[in-house]
Amino acid sequence: IQSIINQDFGFIDHSKGRESFIEYFREAMNESTNYRNWENAFKHFCNYAKGECCFDDITVEFCQGFLTHMLKLKTPSGGTMKASTANNNFGKLIAVIRRAVAAGRLKDNIIPFLKPAKEEKTKKREFGITKALTAVLKRDIDYQVTRSGRLIFYRRVYRQKTSCPLDSGTS
């Protein structure tokens, strides 16, 4: 009865704070149309939370710790998780938090205080003109250089078009 009265008058039911946030996350994942993407975020969150997390555990520090945890994870290639992937997973957590705030399951809206990981600027892959032309000459490929400086390759057999930006470097 107390829970109903609190809900009717807009008060937060503090017993909801001890309920499983992981189960709430699982429900959101199951309702998603992009299940595989959500499943990856859910698995990383469960790993970070060691399988136990209630609504009262959801703080700015805990959520930012989840992001930091993901950025330190090793990938199959031996590197660490890219910021864009970590931010994608972090976005799923934010979506669940937003849903929980709207449903009155969380006391505070911490979303404005959550900061995504900074993404490194990656250099576009460019080929030296010598490498590109050598590759063309070794294959059955025609090419042309456009006004914008792009090298357009044409396969003689399929007439399939691909392009590659040219830089001024030589190799």
Side-chain angles (χ1 to χ4, degrees), residues 18-56:
R18 292 182 292 279
E19 292 177 356
S20 174
F21 183 80
I22 289 181
E23 286 305 313
Y24 195 75
F25 199 136
R26 185 188 317 273
E27 289 172 22
M29 175 186 69
N30 289 333
E31 292 173 9
S32 168
T33 56
N34 191 353
Y35 181 82
R36 185 163 162 71
N37 198 315
W38 275 77
E39 183 181 35
N40 287 332
F42 178 74
K43 285 179 183 178
H44 287 302
F45 184 78
C46 287
N47 183 22
Y48 171 69
K50 296 178 178 61
E52 294 182 18
C53 178
C54 63
F55 285 94
D56 284 343

Side-chain angles (χ1 to χ4, degrees), residues 10 16 39 50 58 67 77 88 99 101 116 122 131 142 165 167:
K16 289 182 182 177
E39 183 181 35
K50 296 178 178 61
I58 303 300
L67 183 60
S77 64
N88 186 4
R99 177 180 169 175
V101 168
T122 56
K131 278 186 181 178
D142 289 332
D167 65 0

Side-chain angles (χ1 to χ4, degrees), residues 37 76 106 123:
N37 198 315
L106 285 173
K123 224 172 94 175

Side-chain angles (χ1 to χ4, degrees), residues 9 11 19 24 28 31 41 45 56 58 60 69 72 74 81 107 111-112 132 144 147-148 157-159 171:
F9 290 103
F11 299 118
E19 292 177 356
Y24 195 75
E31 292 173 9
F45 184 78
D56 284 343
I58 303 300
V60 172
H69 164 78
K72 292 178 182 176
K74 296 290 180 194
M81 184 181 285
K107 296 178 247 182
I111 295 171
Q144 77 181 49
R147 279 191 220 158
S148 65
V157 179
Y158 303 108
R159 303 302 284 172
S171 301

